[in-house]
């Protein structure tokens, strides 16, 4: 019998997928058997799977069409736990678990503030997600939010308090610490170059890199610097157009998805999270693990928890480019002691997170 089956659509390059790969590694390290059940075996993280994880591919063209195959898998393998992430996948996991009707416990993880996400979503199904939470999540065995803010929001949406928990994301691992030491093949990080301001994430409305670009335009008036934004997404052309409008083309780069963003973080002058909303804010912890200073919007939910209300990095209002520019300038010009940042980052370690999962799932 498989101990834990992790169910995902694919291994796209998002933060939730990265978290689930980290958890898989942690579970394997604890001598648990792990199946990674994918609707489609694709995505940039496929090449980064931990040894010892068994990949099961359902080979369905759409998530909905995978339901019969997922039910068949659950009946055949009868994993002790089915662990899923992301809204649509969570709903399918709960539904399949109920139809399978065996002893498998279903645990869903929530990586965003769903109220904020639904208010800003153009798609109807995303706007309806809070309603679906009230319908589906009472049937899950465990509902796990990745921050206090996410968990509180889930309970207001109808997730049963007795089933709803929060566990911070497993960010700092031995692999991360190794990757922070790798070199970066980019001329802007050569000795004697101006400091690099770094943004990392999907190029989507949620990440609001437009505000970061506007803030960078103000920074450049007072301080020599460059801006790199790592990631892919629908807003790339819009963001490039904005860079041209501010005449910043020579000082802003969009390298796309890179296998090792952590080496960029380790060499940046400051990492900026510009999001309009979050569930946690993985990149803040990843940068802090390198001792790199951070600036973040005080968005719901996660960053203020990570930064202890501003103790470990400056918090600025959402969509306020002026405040963001001032925080970036202050961070670039004030010496930062990296050690407290590194120590704080270790509180979000893989081992801490996995131990909490095992406690909640009663597998310790």
């Amino acid at each position: 019998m498989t101990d834990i089956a992790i169910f995902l659509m694919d291994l796209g390059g998002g933060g939730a997928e990265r978290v689930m790969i980290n958890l898989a590694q942690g579970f394997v390290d604890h001598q648990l058997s792990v199946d990674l059940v994918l609707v489609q075996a694709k995505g940039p993280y496929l090449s980064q799977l931990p040894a010892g994880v068994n990949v099961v591919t359902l080979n369905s063209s759409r998530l909905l069409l995978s339901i019969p195959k997922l039910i068949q898998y659950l009946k055949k393998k009868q994993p002790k736990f089915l662990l899923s992430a992301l809204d649509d996948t969570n709903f399918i996991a709960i539904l399949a678990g109920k139809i399978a009707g065996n002893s498998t416990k279903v645990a869903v993880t929530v990586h965003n503030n769903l109220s904020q996400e639904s208010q800003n979503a153009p798609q109807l199904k995303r706007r309806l997600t809070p309603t679906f939470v009230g319908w589906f999540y009472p049937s899950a065995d465990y509902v796990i939010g990745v921050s206090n803010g996410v968990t509180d929001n889930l309970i207001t949406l109808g997730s049963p308090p007795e089933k709803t928990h929060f566990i911070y994301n497993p960010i700092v691992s031995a692999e991360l610490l190794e990757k922070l030491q790798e070199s970066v093949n980019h001329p802007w990080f050569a000795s004697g170059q101006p400091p690099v301001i770094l943004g990392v994430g999907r190029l989507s409305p949620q990440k609001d890199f437009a505000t970061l670009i506007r803030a960078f335009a103000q920074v450049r008036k007072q301080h020599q610097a460059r801006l790199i934004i790592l990631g892919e997404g629908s807003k790339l052309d819009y963001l490039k157009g904005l860079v041209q409008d501010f005449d910043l083309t020579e000082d802003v780069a969009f390298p796309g998805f890179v296998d090792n963003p952590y080496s960029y973080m380790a060499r940046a002058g400051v990492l900026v999270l510009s999001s309009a909303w979050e569930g946690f804010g993985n990149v803040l912890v990843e940068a802090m693990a390198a001792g790199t200073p951070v600036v973040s919007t005080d968005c719901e939910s996660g960053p203020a928890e990570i930064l202890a209300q501003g103790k470990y990095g400056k918090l600025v209002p959402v969509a306020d480019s002026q405040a963001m520019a001032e925080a970036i300038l202050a961070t670039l010009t004030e010496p930062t002691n990296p050690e407290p940042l590194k120590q704080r980052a270790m509180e979000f370690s893989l081992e801490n997170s996995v131990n909490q999962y095992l406690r909640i799932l009663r597998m310790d």
Side-chain angles (χ1 to χ4, degrees):
M1 180 185 288
T2 300
D3 290 313
I4 297 177
I6 296 175
F7 177 53
L8 294 170
M9 177 67 196
D10 54 34
L11 288 179
E17 291 89 346
R18 179 74 255 174
V19 163
M20 301 310 277
I21 291 175
N22 287 354
L23 284 175
Q25 177 68 71
F27 294 143
V28 169
D29 291 345
H30 279 260
Q31 310 301 314
L32 298 174
S33 57
V34 179
D35 283 353
L36 178 62
V37 183
L38 300 174
V39 177
Q40 298 174 359
K42 66 178 186 179
Y45 289 143
L46 264 180
S47 62
Q48 301 180 27
L49 287 178
V53 174
N54 177 48
V55 178
V56 177
T57 306
L58 302 182
N59 284 320
S60 296
S61 59
R62 297 178 61 191
L63 181 59
L64 273 174
L65 298 178
S66 72
I67 295 175
K69 293 180 180 179
L70 180 58
I71 293 169
Q72 184 180 21
Y73 163 82
L74 292 174
K75 287 183 175 180
K76 180 180 179 181
K77 294 292 292 285
Q78 298 188 38
K80 294 177 184 176
F81 294 93
L82 179 64
L83 181 66
S84 64
L86 302 174
D87 304 330
D88 295 347
T89 320
N90 287 345
F91 299 142
I92 296 301
I94 294 168
L95 182 61
K98 289 302 173 186
I99 295 174
N102 56 18
S103 60
T104 298
K105 302 289 188 181
V106 177
V108 298
T109 65
V110 181
H111 295 254
N112 245 328
N113 184 298
L114 299 185
S115 291
Q116 290 291 322
E117 185 177 55
S118 66
Q119 289 170 17
N120 293 275
Q123 311 102 318
L124 177 60
K125 72 173 183 177
R126 286 284 165 265
R127 294 200 297 272
L128 291 175
T129 294
T131 301
F132 292 152
V133 166
W135 291 352
F136 282 87
Y137 282 18
S139 296
D141 295 288
Y142 306 90
V143 180
I144 299 170
V146 298
S147 66
N148 265 310
V150 167
T151 302
D152 290 345
N153 181 241
L154 284 167
I155 292 171
T156 67
L157 296 178
S159 183
E162 68 277 8
K163 294 183 177 183
T164 308
H165 313 267
F166 94 87
I167 303 176
Y168 287 133
N169 279 339
I171 305 300
V172 183
S173 63
E175 180 187 15
L176 170 66
L177 296 176
E178 287 177 11
K179 288 188 172 183
L180 287 170
Q181 304 304 317
E182 293 181 7
S183 60
V184 180
N185 185 22
H186 195 289
W188 289 0
F189 292 100
S191 178
Q193 294 296 308
V196 171
I197 299 164
L198 184 66
V200 181
R202 216 182 290 273
L203 308 185
S204 65
Q206 175 184 356
K207 302 302 181 181
D208 192 15
F209 287 122
T211 293
L212 175 55
I213 292 169
R214 294 186 181 100
F216 177 68
Q218 298 176 58
V219 169
R220 285 288 284 108
K221 294 175 182 177
Q222 301 181 53
H223 197 291
Q224 191 175 15
R226 288 173 171 142
L227 172 64
I228 291 178
I229 298 177
L230 301 179
E232 299 173 339
S234 60
K235 288 293 184 179
L236 177 59
D237 290 341
Y238 168 73
L239 295 173
K240 284 184 173 180
L242 195 60
V243 168
Q244 289 180 335
D245 291 345
F246 283 109
D247 195 25
L248 296 169
T249 306
E250 297 300 315
D251 290 318
V252 181
F254 295 91
F257 179 88
V258 298
D259 286 335
N260 185 6
Y262 315 118
S263 58
Y264 285 74
M265 295 176 184
R267 287 152 185 82
V270 56
L271 178 132
V272 182
L273 187 147
S274 52
S275 297
W277 72 93
E278 279 290 345
F280 182 67
N282 295 350
V283 296
L284 295 174
V285 178
E286 290 162 352
M288 290 162 63
T292 299
V294 297
V295 169
S296 177
T297 53
D298 190 11
C299 64
E300 296 183 275
S301 310
E305 294 179 43
I306 294 170
L307 300 181
Q309 311 302 320
K311 179 179 178 180
Y312 296 98
K314 297 185 185 302
L315 292 163
V316 300
V318 170
D320 188 335
S321 60
Q322 178 65 39
M324 185 175 290
E326 291 171 0
I328 292 170
L329 282 165
T331 303
L332 288 175
T333 55
E334 297 170 2
T336 300
N337 183 351
E339 293 310 313
L341 301 182
K342 293 178 181 180
Q343 292 171 15
R344 175 61 172 171
M346 289 307 299
E347 296 180 34
F348 307 99
S349 69
L350 173 59
E351 186 64 17
N352 284 348
S353 182
V354 168
N355 285 337
Q356 290 182 67
Y357 270 92
L358 297 183
R359 243 188 334 266
I360 286 174
L361 301 179
R362 297 181 177 87
M363 297 182 70
D364 53 356

